[in-house]
Each structure stands twice: as C-alpha cells, then as structure tokens.
Amino acid sequence: MDKIKIKGGKSLEGKIYISGAKNAALPLICASLLTDETVTLTNMPMLSDIKAMNALLEQLGTKIDEFDDFVDGHSTKTYSYRTKEATSLTAPYDYVRKMRASYYVLGPLLARYGKCELSLPGGCAIGARPMDIHLNSLEQMGANIEIKNGYIYASVEKRLKGAHIIFPLVSVGATCNILMAAVLAEGRTILENAAKEPEISDLAHLLNKMGAKIDGIGTSILTIEGVDKLNGATHKVIADRIEAGSYAVAAAITRGCIELVNALPFTLKRPLHILRDMGVKITENGNSITIDARGCTLIGKDIMTEPFPGFPTDLQAQFLALMLTADGASMVTETIFENRFMHVPELLRMGANINVHGHASAIVRGVKRLSGAQVMATDLRASFALILAGLVAEGETIVNRVYHLDRGYERLEEKLRGVGADIERIKESDEE
Ligand code: EPZ
C-alpha cells in the first residue's frame, strides 16, 4: 500500500484548483440510470470512488465514455453514461462493500425497472450507518422490501407511487435516493425534512434538466411531480466544498496564504465564519476564496457538526487538527456520526492534547509543537487531518493507508506541492 511522506514546517502559498465534488458526482452518475439517453457529466474529479461507481454501472449495462477535458483552467474528466437497457439489476456485495454510495443505484433502478437487488452495506469506520430511512420511504411509495442473505430485494408492481414522506432525521443519502425514485413515480411526492446539502441541489438541477419536475430545491421541502420518462442532459459537477475547506485549513494551519480557485463561498459559510473568528483573513471573490493566515495568532473556537448549512461533519477532523495550533481550548462536538474521532489517537501520537468525552465531543488544547510520526487513519477525512498535522509537525510524518485519501482527494500531493509543501508518495514498489 502506498504511503505519503511529509516534512513539516513549510508555510503554504499559492493557488489550488478545487475539483468537482465526489459526493455530488456519485449520485449524479446514478441519475443516468433513469433514462435510456446519454447523460454527460463534466468537471468530474479523478478519484477511486468515481472509478468504483463507473465499474458498478458498467456491470449493470451502462456504456461509459471518458474524455480528457479542461474546465475553468484545470484538467479534468468528462464522462458520458448511456444505459439503453440495463443488463443486470443487482449491485453485488463486492461493489457495495468497497463503496457504500453504491446504494444510489437503488432509487433509479426501482423507479425505471421496478426491481433492484442491492447488497446491504454494513457499518463502516465512522458509524453504523443503517439504510432504514431509504427503505421505509420506498415502502411508503409502494415498494416491497425484503432483506435476505445480506441483500435488499426491492420490487414494485407496475410503478412507484408518489407519497408524502417526512424523514425522521436529515439524511443526505436517503434524500438523494428517494428524490431519484420520485422523479419517475406516479403522481406527486413531497419530501419533508430533506437534507439541503449543495450536492443534493446539484442532483436536483441535473434531474430537472433531464425533464423532472422538482420544486423547492435548496430547501428542506422538496415537491416532485412524477413524469413518465426522462431524457439525456449535460451537467457540470459542483465544486467540492469539502476539498476546498480542507485546503483552507492547510493554509491556516501552516500560517500561509492559499487562493482556492473555483470554490463556492456559499457552500462554506459556516467553516469560513469559524476561520474568520479564529483570526484568519478571508477574501471572497466570485468563485475564488483566499485564505490568508500569514503572521496570524489563531484563537481556538468551538465547533459542532450539523446538517447543511451547519458545520459539515466531513470537515470536523481537519478543523480539530487546526485547533491544535491555536491558542486556548476548543470544544469539538460531532452530532452526525457516532464514531468520528478516530484521528484523535493518531494525533495524540504526534504530541496533541485532546480529551475525548464519550463519542460526541472532544476538548482540544493548543500545543506548542507537534512532532512527526508514522500514522494511519481508517477514513478519508481523518486521513486528511493527519496530513494537515504532518504539514506543521517537526520532522517527518508518514501517513499510511493512502487509499482512503485517493477516494476523495484528487491529485493531493501535486496540489500541496504546488503551494510549497514538502510531500511525496512512496509507492509500495519503491519500498524495500
Ligand atoms: C453522506 O453520507 C456523505 N457521503 C458523507 O460523506 C457525509 O459525511 C454524510 O452524508 C453527512 O454529511 C456521500 O455523500 C457519498 P447521511 P450519508 O445519510 O448519506 C443516519 C465523506 O467523507 N442514517 O446524511 O451516508 C446515519 O447513520 C463521507 O465524503 C440513518 O440512521 O450520510 C448518520 O448518523 C463520509 N438511517 C446520519 O443519519 C438511514 O437510513 C446522517 O447520515 C440513513 C442515515
């Protein structure tokens, strides 16, 4: 397995291009299953999760074409997807265990073909992550759901029916899945307490381009008038707010200055507010955000994760790392997932001062210095937090299990090297 080696202590300066969002691209790819025409997605990030989703769709019978592209000043990928007729309606265990987001095929396949068999994703490193809300909602739309041998067998006679669904809690995945199911259902569906993440709005915009009738985009109540058929469309994937937020922290933690090009300030209001409160200078200019922490003494602030527009759980680990370099104490509270402090024991090995209380909160005290170490994390964002700590630690940090980072950070070492970091990938084959 590859590793990343960092020599800490460089203040990062320059520009970083922000890629298309992984968590938007994954449901957008699955939306292509709703039509027999071609759906083209531009500004696609080059990530292992995208490859994994593409492999799953190919297995279902989708024809995929890949093109090199140049969008807003940086090289990217465009993919076109055409599922003239699905050749399989099963998402097998081997695909789903590698990537939970495989469950996004459920809503579209059930809506278009009246049937889907999906391996039930298990829990994962950050929590139990059940699918009960997805399945209860589909049952309210007339689906029969059976769970047997680790698989969900979902079917519907004729067609899904519109329903008034009130989600018991805010779920990004359930909102996307049910939205994709509802666009081809018979009649009107109302989704209350829907998640409002920008990635969901991006999905709704693509679906409307395909001929869906969705109202209330960006709010917690989505109203969908089902249509009989959807057409093809072309869509540019929204910028990755979590990638942008992660590099914003890279600028702040190294007391550097980075311009995040193609980042969308409205998707990052809460994290940018926290950075400003800590003492970082931030300039927003259209689709660019400059994070300037040169010469700053930062003050620790409390953060609590919440559904959008609150502080994102996917930036909790990175901000926790930042608080280690700030004056005073900060309380970090995680309300979305029950096991999302796995970065803490590894940060402690680098000299951090953090006390975790139960599963939900951590008190972080600023320390004078962190020291480089061999570390590893069990999820994507926790792994990035270790990279951040490595950027300011004295000496050398080796981050193991790099495949987590490859799932969600496009060309990570190249982007960080471009702003002056001393970082390199050690390929498994380079090792003795
Ligand atoms: C999405 O996961 C993201 N993944 C996650 O990003 C992100 O952390 C999360 O939303 C929250 O923002 C993708 O978009 C592919 P949820 P998702 O359903 O949809 C509970 C990353 O690092 N729940 O909003 O799985 C659930 O257990 C990843 O990029 C149920 O109880 O999250 C959790 O506690 C990690 N029953 C809470 O809701 C259900 O049926 C929110 O989960 C569904 C969810």
Side-chain angles (χ1 to χ4, degrees):
M1 273 183 254
D2 294 358
K3 297 172 179 175
I4 286 190
K5 183 165 90 181
I6 307 162
K7 286 205 185 101
K10 294 259 167 71
S11 180
L12 304 186
E13 292 196 25
K15 285 183 185 192
I16 292 183
Y17 283 95
I18 299 307
S19 302
K22 164 180 86 82
N23 289 347
L26 294 170
L28 292 171
I29 293 172
C30 295
S32 73
L33 292 167
L34 287 160
T35 173
D36 60 4
E37 295 181 16
T38 301
V39 171
T40 300
L41 300 175
T42 68
N43 197 33
M44 287 282 276
M46 289 173 254
L47 298 170
S48 61
D49 268 12
I50 301 299
K51 285 190 187 147
M53 188 61 95
N54 285 350
L56 172 59
L57 260 76
E58 276 172 339
Q59 192 270 147
L60 298 174
T62 307
K63 186 175 171 307
I64 304 176
D65 288 311
E66 176 184 324
F67 311 93
D68 290 325
D69 211 342
F70 204 72
V71 174
D72 300 330
H74 72 130
S75 59
T76 158
K77 290 273 179 204
T78 287
Y79 289 100
S80 67
Y81 298 85
R82 183 162 192 212
T83 315
K84 208 157 176 258
E85 201 53 66
T87 50
S88 161
L89 299 175
T90 302
Y93 177 67
D94 269 351
Y95 290 85
V96 183
R97 89 183 154 80
K98 284 193 200 124
M99 190 188 46
R100 302 180 57 80
S102 305
Y103 63 39
Y104 282 139
V105 303
L106 176 60
L109 289 180
L110 193 57
R112 181 165 159 200
Y113 293 101
K115 196 176 157 203
C116 176
E117 294 175 9
L118 172 80
S119 171
L120 198 53
C124 76
I126 60 176
R129 303 180 79 182
M131 276 193 73
D132 54 327
I133 301 173
H134 304 233
L135 302 182
N136 292 341
S137 307
L138 290 170
E139 281 178 334
Q140 289 178 60
M141 299 176 76
N144 302 306
I145 306 281
E146 211 189 327
I147 296 177
K148 216 172 46 190
N149 308 122
Y151 272 76
I152 298 163
Y153 293 86
S155 61
V156 64
E157 276 173 42
K158 294 188 187 149
R159 197 171 161 190
L160 290 169
K161 287 201 169 35
H164 187 154
I165 295 164
I166 303 173
F167 291 124
L169 57 82
V170 178
S171 161
V172 171
T175 304
C176 288
N177 233 340
I178 305 310
L179 183 60
M180 289 190 278
V183 288
L184 284 182
E186 190 183 332
R188 174 182 298 173
T189 299
I190 298 173
L191 303 180
E192 272 193 62
N193 201 22
K196 294 183 286 195
E197 271 64 6
E199 295 76 27
I200 294 167
S201 303
D202 206 35
L203 171 65
H205 288 306
L206 168 67
L207 292 168
N208 275 354
K209 283 185 200 166
M210 291 167 70
K213 293 187 175 153
I214 304 167
D215 265 344
I217 298 176
T219 75
S220 61
I221 302 183
L222 296 169
T223 305
I224 305 115
E225 297 293 342
V227 296
D228 292 340
K229 202 172 176 331
L230 292 172
N231 48 261
T234 296
H235 185 76
K236 179 180 161 197
V237 179
I238 192 174
D240 195 321
R241 66 194 162 101
I242 305 300
E243 190 199 24
S246 302
Y247 289 124
V249 177
I253 204 167
T254 64
R255 306 301 191 264
C257 179
I258 299 179
E259 183 187 351
L260 307 167
V261 184
N262 298 326
L264 297 172
F266 83 91
T267 65
L268 280 162
K269 276 196 181 144
R270 192 70 204 139
L272 294 180
H273 178 83
I274 300 275
L275 285 174
R276 280 196 179 99
D277 253 17
M278 291 179 76
V280 178
K281 292 187 241 16
I282 298 178
T283 325
E284 297 172 20
N285 193 354
N287 285 359
S288 128
I289 308 170
T290 302
I291 311 290
D292 188 354
R294 288 171 297 187
C296 287
T297 301
L298 300 186
I299 304 152
K301 291 286 159 194
D302 295 347
I303 54 172
M304 178 157 85
T305 64
E306 285 170 314
F308 189 83
F311 188 93
T313 173
D314 291 346
L315 284 176
Q316 179 258 103
Q318 300 89 318
F319 271 70
L320 184 147
L322 175 61
M323 297 308 171
L324 288 168
T325 70
D327 281 356
S330 321
M331 169 121 131
V332 177
T333 307
E334 172 62 53
T335 73
I336 309 289
F337 291 110
E338 61 274 24
N339 189 25
R340 216 171 190 188
F341 284 121
M342 297 93 60
H343 36 291
V344 169
E346 296 298 287
L347 290 169
L348 292 177
R349 297 184 51 249
M350 298 177 75
N353 180 347
I354 308 166
N355 280 303
V356 177
H357 299 267
H359 289 295
S361 63
I363 298 284
V364 184
R365 292 189 172 83
V367 288
K368 287 213 164 57
R369 68 186 63 83
L370 292 168
S371 66
Q374 284 244 23
V375 285
M376 65 179 177
T378 39
D379 99 300
L380 166 62
R381 311 303 172 186
S383 299
F384 198 92
L386 300 179
I387 298 273
L388 290 166
L391 288 171
V392 284
E394 284 175 0
E396 191 174 280
T397 296
I398 308 269
V399 181
N400 292 288
R401 296 200 183 163
V402 168
Y403 60 87
H404 287 298
L405 290 161
D406 292 335
R407 298 184 58 184
Y409 289 94
E410 182 180 29
R411 295 182 287 197
L412 168 102
E413 315 91 271
E414 193 184 312
K415 289 190 184 191
L416 282 172
R417 255 199 314 271
V419 290
D422 188 340
I423 181 168
E424 63 176 307
R425 178 178 294 244
I426 309 169
K427 294 254 178 218
E428 191 174 24
S429 53
D430 298 343
E431 292 180 74
E432 296 278 302

